Amino acid sequence: MGGLSIWHWIIVGAVVFILFGGKFKISDVMGDVAKGIKAFKKGMSEDEAADVKETPKTLQHQAAEQVDQQKSSETKKI
């Protein structure tokens, strides 16, 4: 019950390396995660803003546009 296997030492070494060494530090990883979350929230808010700007046209509005287009095409023929 006293000895640690090679797998235990590999896991301990990986944890120590992540916490204290290399480019892959916890603070760097968490900073990248935070940037990703901010970018995701910004993208979601832009999608909602785009949905609000696009107001649906009513049938009367579409019909009025078609009448205006027909009138303008008729005046061009004359």
Side-chain angles (χ1 to χ4, degrees):
M1 180 161 174
L4 295 176
S5 71
I6 188 70
W7 293 108
H8 291 107
W9 285 112
I10 290 174
I11 292 172
V12 168
V15 169
V16 168
F17 182 73
I18 289 173
L19 291 176
F20 299 111
K23 185 179 177 184
F24 189 73
K25 291 186 178 179
I26 294 289
S27 61
D28 294 339
V29 171
M30 293 310 294
D32 292 340
V33 169
K35 288 178 187 176
I37 291 171
K38 286 180 185 178
F40 177 76
K41 287 182 179 180
K42 182 179 177 184
M44 291 300 291
S45 66
E46 288 175 356
D47 288 343
E48 290 175 2
D51 290 342
V52 171
K53 288 180 184 177
E54 296 176 9
T55 56
K57 294 181 179 179
T58 62
L59 292 176
Q60 291 176 340
H61 185 70
Q62 290 175 349
E65 285 181 355
Q66 290 175 353
V67 169
D68 291 337
Q69 290 175 353
Q70 289 175 354
K71 286 182 181 178
S72 64
S73 65
E74 289 175 5
T75 56
K76 289 179 184 177
K77 291 179 185 177
I78 296 176

